[in-house]
Amino acid sequence: MKKSLVSALVLTALAASFAAQAVSFEKPADAIKYRQSAFSLMASHFGDLGAMVKGDKPFDAKTAQANADLVATLSALPWAGFGPGTEGGKAKPAIWKEMDKVNAGAKELQTAAAALKTAAASGNLDNLKKAFANTQKTCKSCHDSYKDK
Ligand code: ASC
């Protein structure tokens, strides 16, 4: 193969991997701020759903769906902010020693959030209640292991 073709292929592969990463941080504090922001937005929209599920707020199917869609989208975001050397905030240092478990937990959340989105789209409050409880379980499981109080 020609050298120029090889380097073009390598550059294309590199560009693809950077695009997949989607975000990078200049300093650890920026990564911490990013993940905390993503969690905070998730808590706002999940909390609004929770109020409906608990009956603290009237159930409105459209609002529930908008919140569930956002939770599903947001659930993909915080993980990019847990790169090497970004210890701090409320994150326990164990995270960086057990990244496989953390990633598995992140996947469980995203799977539960996708099901939450489907349940909200059904417009059925009982479906939503079940999916909400399942999603909340995945939040709690990681918080219990990896989040400082
Ligand atoms: C929420 C929220 C969380 C989780 C967690 C589950 O509504 O904001 O962080 O549920 O409390 O235990």
Tab-separated table of all heavy atoms in Angstrom, residues 43 46 136 139-140 143, ligand 1:
chain	number	residue	atom	x	y	z
A	43	ALA	N	-31.281	14.899	37.492
A	43	ALA	CA	-32.049	14.941	38.748
A	43	ALA	C	-33.266	15.862	38.601
A	43	ALA	O	-34.341	15.558	39.127
A	43	ALA	CB	-31.159	15.396	39.898
A	46	PHE	N	-35.735	13.899	36.230
A	46	PHE	CA	-36.171	12.675	36.907
A	46	PHE	C	-37.028	13.042	38.118
A	46	PHE	O	-38.022	12.379	38.418
A	46	PHE	CB	-34.945	11.845	37.308
A	46	PHE	CG	-35.253	10.426	37.674
A	46	PHE	CD1	-35.816	9.550	36.760
A	46	PHE	CD2	-34.976	9.944	38.949
A	46	PHE	CE1	-36.103	8.238	37.093
A	46	PHE	CE2	-35.253	8.627	39.301
A	46	PHE	CZ	-35.818	7.780	38.370
A	136	GLN	N	-34.713	4.330	39.192
A	136	GLN	CA	-34.229	4.858	40.472
A	136	GLN	C	-33.307	3.853	41.175
A	136	GLN	O	-32.318	4.233	41.805
A	136	GLN	CB	-35.420	5.200	41.359
A	136	GLN	CG	-35.049	6.110	42.513
A	136	GLN	CD	-36.279	6.651	43.209
A	136	GLN	OE1	-37.292	5.961	43.322
A	136	GLN	NE2	-36.205	7.886	43.665
A	139	CYS	N	-29.854	4.247	39.804
A	139	CYS	CA	-29.208	5.456	40.368
A	139	CYS	C	-28.643	5.119	41.745
A	139	CYS	O	-27.477	5.382	42.042
A	139	CYS	CB	-30.196	6.609	40.526
A	139	CYS	SG	-31.018	7.150	39.019
A	140	LYS	N	-29.525	4.525	42.572
A	140	LYS	CA	-29.177	4.279	43.972
A	140	LYS	C	-28.011	3.305	44.099
A	140	LYS	O	-27.121	3.492	44.930
A	140	LYS	CB	-30.404	3.745	44.720
A	140	LYS	CG	-30.160	3.507	46.205
A	140	LYS	CD	-31.463	3.190	46.921
A	140	LYS	CE	-31.269	2.592	48.307
A	140	LYS	NZ	-30.126	3.036	49.074
A	143	HIS	N	-24.876	5.174	43.499
A	143	HIS	CA	-24.656	6.164	44.570
A	143	HIS	C	-24.181	5.481	45.847
A	143	HIS	O	-23.271	5.983	46.517
A	143	HIS	CB	-25.928	6.962	44.832
A	143	HIS	CG	-26.278	7.874	43.710
A	143	HIS	ND1	-27.444	8.607	43.654
A	143	HIS	CD2	-25.598	8.192	42.571
A	143	HIS	CE1	-27.481	9.318	42.537
A	143	HIS	NE2	-26.374	9.090	41.852
B	1	ASC	C1	-33.652	10.666	42.304
B	1	ASC	C2	-32.459	11.431	42.266
B	1	ASC	C3	-31.429	10.593	42.478
B	1	ASC	C4	-31.935	9.208	42.627
B	1	ASC	C5	-31.517	8.607	43.917
B	1	ASC	C6	-32.013	7.193	44.009
B	1	ASC	O1	-34.788	11.088	42.125
B	1	ASC	O2	-32.333	12.726	42.078
B	1	ASC	O3	-30.168	10.903	42.531
B	1	ASC	O4	-33.359	9.333	42.528
B	1	ASC	O5	-32.011	9.351	44.970
B	1	ASC	O6	-31.724	6.684	45.278
